[in-house]
Amino acid sequence: VIKLCCKLFCNFAEFLLLQYLNQFPGTNVVRLYGLCFSADGKMLYLVLQHFGQSLWDIFIVTKRRLTGQQYHIFLNNLLTSYARLHQTGVVHIDVKNQNIMMDDSLNVKIIDFGLSQYLGLSPLVEQANEYITTVDYKAPDFRKSYQSDSYSLGITIVMCIINRFVPVRPVWDDDGNVKSMTINGYTYDNSYFDTRLGQYGFELLTKLLHKDITQRWTPQQTLQHPYFTGQVGGNNYACKPRLYVHYSSDDYHRQIFE
């Protein structure tokens, strides 16, 4: 796949970031094969791995529906991908259906790092700066952090479930917990999402969509949620959380642990 980049400086930064991310095994980031320039030197082209279809094409355009067990596998793969990305110190910032690819086996790859930045392994959310991203997926705190990726992931997942690109607005209580969601003017409660995702499905979404940035769960935290570890719908088909891969930015290595 060839990506045309018109802003040379910004997209050369994306090239360098992809080079950095491709060092780490198992990050589920699209592979970078190289780059080239146009004859006049004004255009930069990134040569990238071709992988599946975007979640936009799969769930919004063709309106694919998954079974409860398939949702477990898909969400496990999705959240694992972003947990591993964050463990490299990188925040994506532009999480949305168009920037996540999936193949027929429900494996996931993350694409489009044009807005992404290196935050480090332990950034303070209280010191997070404002950020620019697609407005329909933007966290209410408007602050750049791993938790802002979490909020965007929550909105992305909801749009996959409803098979539509419409405004999704969580309804919060006084403590910032999600009580229900307003979607295109209609209210949806936990029963709607649990019917499609399985037991604890709505609760999982509430952790990603918490109003308070300091209470919102990161993708890594969600992998230990009962949705993945407990009994679901009377059947023990909950996915076992994938192995975490911890990366050191000083001398890159990996430590596998559960």
Side-chain angles (χ1 to χ4, degrees):
V1 174
I2 306 297
K3 178 179 179 180
L4 171 62
C5 306
C6 298
K7 298 179 180 179
L8 293 184
F9 176 78
C10 294
N11 289 285
F12 189 71
E14 181 179 3
F15 167 77
L16 294 176
L17 186 59
L18 282 171
Q19 274 196 320
Y20 166 72
L21 291 173
N22 284 173
Q23 296 179 88
F24 303 112
T27 50
N28 294 350
V29 169
V30 65
R31 300 296 300 177
L32 172 71
Y33 294 132
L35 83 164
C36 57
F37 292 89
S38 61
D40 59 9
K42 295 181 179 180
M43 297 292 182
L44 172 66
Y45 299 88
L46 298 182
V47 184
L48 304 169
Q49 173 189 15
H50 179 271
F51 186 88
Q53 292 181 290
S54 71
L55 299 188
W56 176 273
D57 291 330
I58 294 170
F59 292 103
I60 308 301
V61 177
T62 63
K63 300 189 181 301
R64 178 178 176 183
R65 294 188 180 275
L66 303 180
T67 67
Q69 186 171 8
Q70 287 174 326
Y71 267 120
H72 272 79
I73 296 170
F74 162 57
L75 294 182
N76 184 278
N77 290 342
L78 179 65
L79 293 167
T80 298
S81 297
Y82 279 90
R84 290 176 173 176
L85 174 67
H86 292 168
Q87 287 167 349
T88 68
V90 173
V91 60
H92 189 276
I93 299 177
D94 198 18
V95 179
K96 57 184 179 181
N97 300 77
Q98 295 94 325
N99 290 341
I100 303 168
M101 310 298 288
M102 186 175 79
D103 66 12
D104 292 337
S105 299
L106 307 180
N107 297 307
V108 168
K109 291 280 186 181
I110 306 170
I111 67 169
D112 199 342
F113 289 82
L115 297 177
S116 303
Q117 291 186 21
Y118 182 84
L119 286 187
L121 299 180
S122 301
L124 298 176
V125 295
E126 295 82 5
Q127 299 177 5
N129 298 321
E130 290 192 13
Y131 68 107
I132 299 173
T133 191
T134 307
V135 63
D136 295 286
Y137 300 85
K138 193 169 187 177
D141 42 80
F142 301 110
R143 290 155 73 183
K144 177 173 54 186
S145 66
Y146 297 131
Q147 286 84 350
S148 64
D149 275 0
S150 295
Y151 185 90
S152 300
L153 276 168
I155 298 297
T156 297
I157 293 167
V158 171
M159 290 186 184
C160 290
I161 296 168
I162 65 175
N163 296 123
R164 288 182 292 166
F165 176 69
V166 293
V168 176
R169 301 289 182 263
V171 179
W172 295 291
D173 62 19
D174 292 339
D175 295 322
N177 299 302
V178 179
K179 300 187 299 181
S180 60
M181 296 189 205
T182 301
I183 302 173
N184 205 27
Y186 296 92
T187 300
Y188 296 78
D189 61 12
N190 63 312
S191 61
Y192 174 84
F193 294 98
D194 285 349
T195 299
R196 287 152 180 79
L197 297 178
Q199 188 179 1
Y200 305 120
F202 180 75
E203 185 182 334
L204 174 71
L205 291 174
T206 67
K207 300 300 184 183
L208 292 167
L209 295 171
H210 200 288
K211 187 176 183 180
D212 186 346
I213 188 174
T214 64
Q215 299 298 314
R216 193 179 307 141
W217 283 22
T218 64
Q220 180 170 324
Q221 289 175 302
T222 62
L223 291 171
Q224 299 303 318
H225 190 274
Y227 179 72
F228 295 115
T229 61
Q231 297 277 358
V232 180
N235 297 310
N236 189 16
Y237 59 70
C239 295
K240 182 180 179 182
R242 297 235 176 154
L243 297 176
Y244 290 102
V245 183
H246 176 73
Y247 300 111
S248 167
S249 58
D250 299 321
D251 179 22
Y252 107 64
H253 64 284
R254 63 175 182 169
Q255 300 170 340
I256 306 292
F257 57 95
E258 301 224 57

